[in-house]
Amino acid sequence: MPDHYHSPPLPPRPPAGTLRLPAVRGVELGAPLQWLALGWRDVWRCGFLSVAHGLALALFGGLLLWLAHDRFWLLAGAFSGFLVVAPVLATSLYALSRALERGEPIGASTIALTWTRWQYSRYAVHGGYWSMVRFGLLLSLAGTGWVLTSAALITLLAPQPVQTPMDFVRHVILAPGGHLFELWLTMGALMAAPLFASSVVAMPLLLDRRVDVLQAVLTSWQAVLKNPIPMALWAGLLMGLTLVGMATAMLGLIVIVPWLGHASWHAYRSLVDASNLPERLLPEGA
């Protein structure tokens, strides 16, 4: 593992109100492929602990597909929401990779503590438990905004009402003489780009260090702005592999979800040197 993964002793916690950001590294174009390789290694090392995440989300996605297969906007909203909050849902996968990196034992307790006690901090006002909750809510609001904006665009410009997935295919994707689908895709890309930039390393940083949402989001933007081409490749890989998982009747998500979750941890470790920030550790007796 690269030497920069080993952090020096931590400095004292900064005074309240001080906004301090970690250093962001430049990476090579092929770095996303290395993150995928490291993520795949972690899937094998964690075994069912990792795959269980993908299995749960695949079952949930299959249930949504069954319930809303003939209601396009409900289906679109559900899957848009899933894509937006995926960095939050992968939190325990980051924790597993973090433990592996440190040589710590992993087990079901690692996952349980991630969702119950990992974010505990006696410095509750600075990067406390609610940081990740607030960030998840913000992402959910962003996903809702996209669905509402998309619905307004399609409702105003589609030649016929769109109620089912087949309506969307006929009246938007295959509509003759129009460019509604291209406009819809462009608008989606414009809305997805800032969401990606805000979240690509934010959640692993919130898990790993006692930081607040603003610090995490600003660090994530710095990582993207410093590495625009590698991060564009990373965004394409995340989206492409996720779509492959969905296109296989959700079955591919069983492996792809944990793979991308672990890989996202390694993306964070490669891009961000957070050694100047206090760690988020479990309280004594947890």
Side-chain angles (χ1 to χ4, degrees), residues 103-115:
E104 298 171 353
I106 60 172
S109 61
T110 307
I111 298 172
L113 289 172
T114 300
W115 294 107

Side-chain angles (χ1 to χ4, degrees), residues 12 14 18 28 52 60 69 78 119-120 130 132 134 169 204 227:
T18 300
E28 298 180 353
F60 181 68
H69 66 279
Q119 296 179 71
Y120 175 90
W130 293 102
M132 294 179 77
R134 285 195 297 268
V169 172
N227 302 280

